[in-house]
Amino acid sequence: MPYNQTVTGTITIDVLFQLHLQHDYFVKEIYFLAPLPFNASGIVLDTEPRKIGSTGPIDFHCPEANHTCMQVFRVEVDTSLVQQDCMGPLRARADSALREGVVANLSRGTGYTYVPELSVPVRFSNGKPACPARDEPDYEPDLPVIAAGFNDFPWSYSRMTILRDKIPMRPIRGKWRLRQLQSFDQRQYNRITPVVAPVTRSFVTLNPRFHLLPNVIIGSVQLDKPNMIWENLEIDTTLLPNGRNILFFRSDSFIAPGTTFPDAIPWLQGVNHTFSGGKPHPGGTQSAVLAFAFFVDNPQPPRPPAPPSPEPSSGPGNSGGGNGMSM
């Protein structure tokens, strides 16, 4: 992703997509979305998701059960389709569906449409009108990296973000402080009552290997709490190996069986969606994951000096020529 970079015209992005033990599903499209335009009061003017790049229809799936499959897809993204020039989120999203012949069973989690999304800040520069300045004199735009997980009821989607800090682009050393890690369900974040999908776990670990079956490696757990978080996290990189490391951040939201999601979107006045259609949710846990690599370069401790070589003995039976015998 062109993280924190200026983008102009058409850019090429290679997307590595992985399916982990998901034989029943196939990925049907990977695409990029333009940021939503807003006015000087911060009100979104148009909620229509506008694609600015897509693979088109695809059929990517694992040919065998209980396998992890991966493939790289090249997407041409036309940033000139974005209506405003300024810092804004570039959003990558993928749609999945059940493969032909697979019987849906929502009580077991089979049958949902799963949609992961990753949003990173970029600066759009295509000679378009500048984004309107917010009226508040102390306003500072938040353009964090955001990961989200949707299903068929996406107005209950789970999100997490590193709100106040940037992902390190250069090697780091010593104490690394991440400001304001945040996990939340969208309705809870916007103070909707009652909360329909409360966050039930926030989890951060380093260098996990969850798909190293059967010997899964959880990694170095940095945070594990049974609720939503909004806090800083300090990582001692001297305890990590130099070179490439992985930070893994997951948020879980529990949905009680029988929950019905309202179609109104209270924080977007006059905007309604009919995703749930009044159908009760069969219940379960939906998750979002944000994982990225970072590099550590701590000074290595000096090597201890090599012990001195023993001086040759001139005693009886040894002429110093190295013909001795050791037991």
Side-chain angles (χ1 to χ4, degrees):
M1 298 287 277
Y3 176 75
N4 264 352
Q5 299 177 26
T6 298
V7 294
T8 302
T10 299
I11 59 176
T12 301
I13 299 179
D14 290 334
V15 181
L16 172 64
F17 202 93
Q18 298 177 324
L19 285 171
H20 304 296
L21 313 181
Q22 290 285 352
H23 179 61
D24 292 338
Y25 283 86
F26 75 99
V27 179
K28 59 182 182 179
E29 185 182 9
I30 301 170
Y31 52 94
F32 288 79
L33 294 172
L36 301 178
F38 58 89
N39 61 20
S41 298
I43 303 299
V44 174
L45 303 174
D46 183 1
T47 61
E48 183 69 23
R50 300 187 183 278
K51 296 179 183 179
I52 57 176
S54 172
T55 58
I58 57 176
D59 181 3
F60 169 56
H61 61 273
C62 287
E64 300 179 51
N66 300 323
H67 278 69
T68 292
C69 309
M70 63 185 71
Q71 185 171 329
V72 174
F73 296 89
R74 175 159 289 184
V75 184
E76 302 294 327
V77 180
D78 187 356
T79 69
S80 68
L81 298 176
V82 177
Q83 301 177 25
Q84 299 172 328
D85 274 0
C86 61
M87 288 295 291
L90 178 63
R91 301 158 62 195
R93 186 182 284 186
D95 290 349
S96 69
L98 281 181
R99 296 176 62 188
E100 185 177 357
V102 177
V103 178
N105 184 344
L106 294 183
S107 66
R108 295 180 61 245
T110 303
Y112 292 108
T113 296
Y114 292 106
V115 182
E117 180 177 303
L118 175 65
S119 173
V120 301
V122 301
R123 180 174 294 278
F124 295 97
S125 179
N126 290 290
K128 300 296 181 72
C131 293
R134 293 286 290 268
D135 293 335
E136 300 92 330
D138 59 347
Y139 172 73
E140 293 184 10
D142 288 329
L143 285 172
V145 175
I146 297 175
F150 301 80
N151 61 28
D152 291 84
F153 301 80
W155 287 108
S156 67
Y157 56 89
S158 297
R159 294 176 60 176
M160 85 269 299
T161 174
I162 298 173
L163 190 63
R164 296 288 183 187
D165 260 319
K166 295 180 172 61
I167 293 176
M169 294 288 101
R170 296 175 179 171
I172 55 178
R173 57 179 54 182
K175 302 287 187 179
W176 175 29
R177 191 166 185 258
L178 287 164
R179 294 179 300 159
Q180 291 187 5
L181 273 72
Q182 183 182 16
S183 62
F184 55 95
D185 165 78
Q186 186 64 11
R187 285 190 174 274
Q188 181 170 352
Y189 181 68
N190 287 281
R191 300 177 178 84
I192 306 305
T193 302
V195 176
V196 292
V199 173
T200 48
R201 190 180 188 188
S202 299
F203 177 76
V204 178
T205 189
L206 300 174
N207 298 322
R209 298 182 68 183
F210 293 120
H211 304 100
L212 191 66
L213 301 175
N215 301 312
V216 171
I217 296 176
I218 298 298
S220 173
V221 177
Q222 304 293 304
L223 182 149
D224 192 356
K225 295 191 175 181
N227 49 36
M228 186 170 74
I229 63 167
W230 177 287
E231 60 185 76
N232 301 329
L233 178 65
E234 186 173 86
I235 295 172
D236 185 356
T237 69
T238 64
L239 303 177
L240 302 174
N242 275 351
R244 186 175 185 266
N245 291 264
I246 297 292
L247 185 140
F248 178 95
F249 180 14
R250 193 184 82 218
S251 172
D252 296 338
S253 296
F254 175 72
I255 304 169
T259 299
T260 300
F261 295 98
D263 294 325
I265 306 174
W267 61 94
L268 294 176
Q269 189 173 4
V271 177
N272 291 273
H273 282 293
T274 56
F275 292 114
S276 63
K279 296 181 296 183
H281 198 292
T285 298
Q286 63 182 10
S287 302
V289 169
L290 175 62
F292 61 86
F294 62 97
F295 290 81
V296 171
D297 183 23
N298 284 305
Q300 296 299 296
R303 292 184 178 179
S309 300
E311 295 184 5
S313 172
S314 58
N318 191 341
S319 63
N323 293 323
M325 181 173 64
S326 60
M327 298 295 290

